[in-house]
Every structure is written in structure tokens, then in C-alpha cells.
Amino acid sequence: MKTLFLFFILLISITEAQESMENFANNYQVIFLPEEHTNKEDHNFQLDIIKLLSSKNYKFIIAMEMFQQPFQDALDLYVTGQISEEEMLRRTDYRRRWGFDPSLYRDIWSFAKDRGIRIVAINISSELLQRIRKEGIEKVRDESLPYPVIPQTEKEIKELREFLKTHPKVDEKSFFDVQNAWDNGMALAIARLLDKYPDYKIVVLVGRGHAQDYESGIPRRLRMLKPDVRMRILRREEFQRALLFSTDFSKESSSASSMREPNCRP
């Protein structure tokens, strides 16, 4: 009897998880998949969600913090098969500007290439960050940032100060300015994608600090830029893979997001 009870509990949990996945896929325009950059399980989860959306024939774009906006052409050439992975990494200056082991993300961008799913760079450039560190964010105007720049909340400032307690040698204002520039710049990049591709979902791969909740980071700024946006922060811990994925991701069905606008054109 106890075994039978546990079986029904598991069956209900699987059903609820699957229904939840269907709801998030149908109801949201922007799906944040926050990560710890070196956590392979987070990247596996991101890939599972991407495969799920592809298997359901959703049209979507993968927006990645890991690449900086000036290097979008290299990503487009990679996804359309015109350059190799190594050439894409070289042209995006990935190893210097991001630096984390490419193998952490390889399965994600390889799957995108195989299915013709566009990858979009949403991070601002290192050169812009250097200007902000030198001049202060309030004095810098750039097309990668909204104007006026959305300020940090007291909650965000408090959390950043707590973090700085472990990094006492960092200049506080410079640190705050850079964090704010990242959140503003990536929020603006996502808002522009929503404007350009209103029929597509935007799957956002960013560090957890940029998408902790809806009242801070990128989500708060995105809502200020696009008040009607429907977004969801989807965390791995909330959707255990053992309960979620009964779909056969290996089937060779053509995705609605494969090899058609906007995926095969820069």
C-alpha cells in the first residue's frame, strides 16, 4: 500500500511538472535560465529546456551573456555553418572577454547550430565597461545602454554591499556602475529583440546574479523598458530533470525555429 501511494504521488508530481512546463512554454515571451557559470548541471538544464522548446516547434532565440554585442556577425556565421566553432570563438574574442571553458556551453551552441536556432550576443563590450569605470556611468552615453540609465534600487545596493564585504579592495562606485551597466545593457538588448521578433520567445542565459528575482537585475529593468512583457525565471532546482523530460528529444523533427527568419540571417 505504501509503495502504491508513493507511485501515485510520483505520477502526480510528473503530471504537475509537465503541465507547468507547458504553461511556461505557452505563456511567456522571455524565459530566463540563470546559471552558475561553472556548474555543468545548470548548463545541462539549459540545454534540456532548449531541446524541449525545439521539440515542441516553438520559435525562439537564444540570448547569451557569454558573448558581447559587437561580435554578433561571428555568431551568425557559426550558426549558419560558415565558420567553425574555433573560428567563432576567435572572432568573438571569447577566451579573453568571457574566459570560462567553452566545453561548458559547447552542447548548447552545437545544438543551436544543428537546428538553425539563432544565438544573439546581449552583453555589452569590454571597451564600454572601461569607459564606465573611468568616467562613471552617469557621464557615459552609448547605444548599448538605455537613456537615462535605470538606477539601482536600495535592495540591489544593499545586496551588492554585502557582496563587497568579501572584496574590500574593490572601488564601490566603480563596482556598482559596472553591475548596473551589465543589467541595463542586457535588458535593452532583450527589449530590442522583442521589438524586432515579436513572434519569437527569447531564452536568456545569464549568471544568477543578473536574474535573481523579478524586482532586481535584468528582469526589473526589462519590465521598465517593456511594461507588458511576460517573463519567467526558470531555475533548475524548481524543475528536476527526472520529473520533467519524458519527451524524446532525439527525434529528427524540424523545428519551427530552424533555418528560417531570424535564424539564418544576421
Side-chain angles (χ1 to χ4, degrees):
M1 181 64 70
K2 183 177 180 180
T3 302
L4 185 62
F5 174 76
L6 292 175
F7 171 77
F8 280 115
I9 291 296
L10 178 60
L11 184 62
I12 291 169
S13 298
I14 293 172
T15 301
E16 289 178 346
Q18 290 172 336
E19 288 177 354
S20 179
M21 292 297 290
E22 290 296 330
N23 288 337
F24 104 77
N26 289 324
N27 294 339
Y28 299 101
Q29 299 165 284
V30 179
I31 302 162
F32 289 95
L33 302 178
E35 64 176 58
E36 291 180 13
H37 299 315
T38 58
N39 188 321
K40 187 60 177 175
E41 284 303 303
D42 283 350
H43 300 305
N44 290 340
F45 178 70
Q46 291 167 337
L47 180 60
D48 283 338
I49 298 298
I50 288 166
K51 286 183 174 181
L52 175 65
L53 292 171
S54 180
S55 73
K56 299 292 186 181
N57 289 332
Y58 286 104
K59 298 189 294 184
F60 65 98
I61 292 166
I62 303 172
M64 296 186 69
E65 176 193 5
M66 301 77 210
F67 297 103
Q68 296 180 3
Q69 295 172 32
F71 306 100
Q72 182 60 47
D73 286 351
L75 291 174
D76 291 333
L77 291 171
Y78 170 74
V79 168
T80 54
Q82 298 179 65
I83 61 174
S84 66
E85 176 192 282
E86 186 55 38
E87 181 66 9
M88 178 270 287
L89 295 174
R90 185 187 70 79
R91 292 195 189 191
T92 57
D93 201 12
Y94 174 93
R95 289 183 173 87
R96 186 168 68 92
R97 294 171 184 259
W98 186 246
F100 291 100
D101 189 338
S103 67
L104 292 165
Y105 302 96
R106 179 167 291 128
D107 291 344
I108 293 171
W109 59 55
S110 294
F111 182 83
K113 179 181 180 180
D114 290 343
R115 299 301 175 95
I117 301 167
R118 193 174 191 204
I119 300 171
V120 174
I122 60 170
N123 208 340
I124 60 177
S125 71
S126 299
E127 290 79 6
L128 176 55
L129 288 177
Q130 288 301 323
R131 285 178 55 203
I132 289 167
R133 289 189 181 100
K134 182 178 179 180
E135 303 173 31
I137 196 170
E138 68 280 356
K139 296 181 181 178
V140 172
R141 291 282 296 273
D142 189 273
E143 64 179 9
S144 300
L145 299 173
Y147 182 79
V149 168
I150 299 167
Q152 288 157 325
T153 63
E154 288 300 318
K155 172 180 177 288
E156 290 174 316
I157 291 171
K158 180 179 179 182
E159 290 174 350
L160 289 173
R161 284 202 172 114
E162 284 297 313
F163 178 82
L164 275 180
K165 289 180 180 179
T166 61
H167 297 75
K169 295 183 180 180
V170 176
D171 178 75
E172 183 178 271
K173 184 179 186 307
S174 177
F175 178 73
F176 285 7
D177 282 354
V178 166
Q179 295 295 322
N180 200 24
W182 273 327
D183 289 335
N184 272 271
M186 288 190 278
L188 179 60
I190 296 165
R192 286 172 171 165
L193 286 173
L194 289 170
D195 288 338
K196 190 172 183 179
Y197 304 116
D199 297 330
Y200 281 69
K201 297 182 184 299
I202 314 299
V203 179
V204 184
L205 276 53
V206 293
R208 294 192 177 209
H210 295 297
Q212 293 187 74
D213 54 54
Y214 300 99
E215 303 305 321
S216 64
I218 299 171
R220 181 178 77 87
R221 289 159 178 80
L222 179 59
R223 191 172 298 283
M224 294 181 72
L225 295 170
K226 304 284 290 184
D228 296 328
V229 66
R230 302 187 309 278
M231 59 182 161
R232 175 71 186 271
I233 300 171
L234 198 63
R235 298 180 180 86
R236 174 173 58 87
E237 299 89 335
E238 298 171 4
F239 294 86
Q240 293 301 319
R241 292 164 63 205
L243 296 179
L244 289 179
F245 300 109
S246 58
T247 304
D248 180 7
F249 297 132
S250 64
K251 68 178 184 179
E252 293 300 323
S253 61
S254 62
S255 170
S257 62
S258 298
M259 302 314 297
R260 52 177 81 173
E261 178 74 26
N263 300 302
C264 60
R265 294 175 56 187

